Amino acid sequence: AGSSHVANYLFDPDLRGGDDVIGGVLASGLYVLRKEEMRPNVAQYYGNDDALYAQRSAMTHVPKSKVPVFLAVAEMDPVYLITPTFEMARALSLRDKKPPHILRIAHHNHFSTMCTFGTVDDSFSTPLTEWIRSL
């Protein structure tokens, strides 16, 4: 849920986070809510009122922000997390008139990507560090 929460903070003007940060990192999150894709654990956070899903979707608010974003997706992520990452890449591309930085992390899944930090596997940390230094 971390990446989804960060996306809401970055993009939703009601949360007012986007103007306070230099850049955001979104790794395999759920950025658009759809009734037909709603899972019980997600509904616990966003609610069951599908009339509010568009308003509560981070994707809806992307054009209202200018914060740079680093996107990451793991090779073995579940499809329900892969596709929102590429939908977010599209939204950011339309907003910025250029593609965002996007990293495909080979040989990893949704959990193992974060476990690489501080290890010899720098497949995520090195590109992320380089992007941060470029801001």
Side-chain angles (χ1 to χ4, degrees):
S3 192
S4 302
H5 298 311
V6 170
N8 285 113
Y9 181 76
L10 292 176
F11 301 125
D12 189 336
D14 291 337
L15 299 177
R16 299 180 187 185
D19 295 335
D20 297 334
V21 295
I22 295 171
V25 179
L26 302 177
S28 304
L30 183 63
Y31 311 119
V32 61
L33 305 173
R34 296 180 179 99
K35 180 180 179 177
E36 65 274 9
E37 297 174 355
M38 186 56 60
R39 293 179 318 282
N41 62 321
V42 177
Q44 288 178 345
Y45 179 74
Y46 290 103
N48 290 311
D49 186 353
D50 59 322
L52 297 175
Y53 287 169
Q55 175 188 343
R56 292 180 177 166
S57 294
M59 194 82 67
T60 300
H61 306 289
V62 168
K64 300 172 189 167
S65 170
K66 291 294 180 193
V67 65
V69 175
F70 179 104
L71 294 174
V73 62
E75 176 183 7
M76 293 180 273
D77 271 342
V79 172
Y80 68 84
L81 293 177
I82 294 170
T83 54
T85 299
F86 288 97
E87 290 178 90
M88 179 59 76
R90 180 183 186 278
L92 291 166
S93 296
L94 291 170
R95 180 194 76 178
D96 298 339
K97 310 295 186 251
K98 64 180 183 176
H101 188 96
I102 185 164
L103 175 67
R104 178 185 177 271
I105 308 166
H107 314 296
H108 282 285
N109 63 43
H110 188 63
F111 298 103
S112 67
T113 55
M114 298 306 156
C115 296
T116 64
F117 286 87
T119 72
V120 296
D121 182 349
D122 64 352
S123 58
F124 191 4
S125 61
T126 294
L128 178 57
T129 301
E130 290 171 359
W131 179 79
I132 291 168
R133 288 182 177 147
S134 75
L135 295 176

